[in-house]
Amino acid sequence: MLSEGIGDTIRVSLTPSPGGDRTEEVHVAQQILQSLELQSFNPQVTACPGCGRTTSTFFQQMAEDIQVYLREQMPVWRERYPGVIEMKVAVMGCVVNGPGESKHANIGISLPGTAEDPKAPVYVDGKLMTTLKGEAIVPEFLRILDDYVAKTYGERATAAAP
């Protein structure tokens, strides 16, 4: 996907590369509709683009892993947990903006910046829940995410049942 700025206008080409996967077009169109709050398709993920403060490749891989996991879980979650498509997830690259974005999301994680202690605070519903450390940060965060979805949206389904 290419984007090109022209004055105050930004043009986005959704045409895939030759032989490319056309599903990206659908994901981008859904994201546009969801950003405009016209239709929800998946949990909204706020992720920073990374900067000099992040250990870029780890952060980029973590953000991708979490977004792919959400996409893969949605067919099951959508049926099992009504309302899960409204969830907001923050995946941030450092503790400068990470805690603020995480506090405004249902669940969020912030990675340490370059040369900072290797720990990743996790916020749930605006409050610091835990701080993850070590090599298993992503799997531990995904476990916390699964527990959050089951607890939060499973309760809604139970409460909504006649």
Side-chain angles (χ1 to χ4, degrees):
M1 178 172 56
L2 302 171
S3 64
E4 178 182 331
I6 304 171
D8 291 346
T9 305
I10 295 178
R11 240 182 352 170
V12 177
S13 172
L14 295 177
T15 304
S17 302
D21 185 0
R22 297 202 64 119
T23 59
E24 188 63 26
E25 297 171 63
V26 174
H27 294 298
V28 171
Q30 288 176 334
Q31 186 62 38
I32 291 168
L33 291 171
Q34 191 157 324
S35 294
L36 294 171
E37 298 181 358
L38 297 174
Q39 174 74 39
S40 291
F41 298 93
N42 292 304
Q44 185 70 30
V45 178
T46 301
C48 68
C51 66
R53 290 184 51 79
T54 62
T55 51
S56 194
T57 55
F58 181 72
F59 167 70
Q60 291 169 339
Q61 188 62 55
M62 181 186 85
E64 178 68 16
D65 290 348
I66 292 169
Q67 290 182 56
V68 166
Y69 183 78
L70 286 167
R71 223 177 281 136
E72 289 172 351
Q73 293 297 84
M74 282 313 297
V76 173
W77 285 355
R78 205 177 275 119
E79 286 190 27
R80 189 177 295 163
Y81 303 117
V84 72
I85 60 175
E86 302 294 332
M87 181 173 62
K88 291 180 176 35
V89 180
V91 182
M92 303 302 292
C94 74
V95 296
V96 172
N97 293 318
E101 291 291 341
S102 294
K103 287 177 185 177
H104 290 15
N106 298 104
I107 183 167
I109 186 169
S110 303
L111 283 178
T114 302
E116 293 176 354
D117 289 335
K119 54 187 176 182
V122 175
Y123 288 82
V124 174
D125 292 328
K127 294 182 175 34
L128 179 63
M129 177 193 168
T130 190
T131 300
L132 303 177
K133 300 174 186 167
E135 296 296 316
I137 288 174
V138 173
E140 288 179 37
F141 179 74
L142 294 178
R143 182 189 51 76
I144 293 168
L145 177 62
D146 282 333
D147 292 346
Y148 179 82
V149 168
K151 179 182 174 219
T152 303
Y153 298 98
E155 288 176 1
R156 288 182 183 178
T158 304

